């Protein structure tokens, strides 16, 4: 135990930050328009850009986070089930399908109820 999930954690962070900052910059440029300076933007636009960027980033990265969490707790209560994050991804997809990557969705709820 110790370094499990490091690779998928780094992947999640890189993808998340890339999406967040690219979206934030695009929104700020869109709000600003061609003739305004950044200082001319109302702080509400900055807050809106940050909020929307964060929502998009987490919406896309949540499935990666689910895999990361499963890999990190794997083996805590018995033998390890996953060799790596890709094995975890494939197992989750084959057992509960795509909805299993978004806890609270029907697929994940159905898995919990059937246990």
């Amino acid at each position: 135990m110790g370094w499990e999930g490091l690779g998928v954690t780094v992947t999640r962070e890189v993808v998340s930050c890339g999406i967040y900052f690219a979206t934030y910059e695009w929104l700020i440029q869109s709000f600003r328009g061609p003739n305004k300076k950044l200082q001319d933007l109302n702080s509400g636009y900055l807050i809106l850009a940050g909020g929307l960027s964060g929502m998009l980033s987490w919406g896309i990265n949540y499935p990666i986070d689910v895999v990361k969490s499963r890999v990190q707790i794997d083996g805590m209560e018995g033998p390890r089930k996953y060799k790596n994050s890709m094995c975890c991804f494939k197992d989750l997809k084959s057992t509960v399908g795509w909805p299993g990557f978004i806890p609270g969705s029907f697929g994940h709820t159905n898995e919990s109820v059937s246990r």
Side-chain angles (χ1 to χ4, degrees):
M1 300 295 285
W3 294 97
E4 290 82 4
L6 178 63
V8 72
T9 300
V10 170
T11 300
R12 181 200 64 181
E13 291 300 318
V14 168
V15 171
S16 177
C17 288
I19 291 168
Y20 179 87
F21 287 113
T23 304
Y24 182 82
E25 184 64 24
W26 178 78
L27 286 169
I28 291 297
Q29 295 299 326
S30 298
F31 294 153
R32 191 177 76 165
N35 299 324
K36 286 186 180 176
K37 295 180 182 175
L38 183 61
Q39 293 81 2
D40 295 338
L41 277 181
N42 179 320
S43 60
Y45 286 112
L46 301 176
I47 293 169
L48 180 62
L52 292 173
S53 300
M55 288 169 43
L56 180 65
S57 176
W58 266 109
I60 291 172
N61 274 291
Y62 207 85
I64 298 172
D65 193 62
V66 169
V67 171
K68 176 209 59 95
S69 297
R70 285 183 172 236
V71 168
Q72 287 178 330
I73 64 169
D74 186 34
M76 292 182 98
E77 296 179 1
R80 293 188 61 77
K81 181 177 179 182
Y82 309 117
K83 186 172 126 181
N84 55 39
S85 56
M86 188 53 73
C87 290
C88 178
F89 172 83
K90 289 177 182 176
D91 179 65
L92 188 58
K93 185 174 178 293
S94 69
T95 55
V96 293
W98 291 112
F101 291 96
I102 305 169
S105 66
F106 175 75
H108 196 271
T109 305
N110 192 24
E111 175 195 1
S112 300
V113 171
S114 65
R115 287 185 183 177

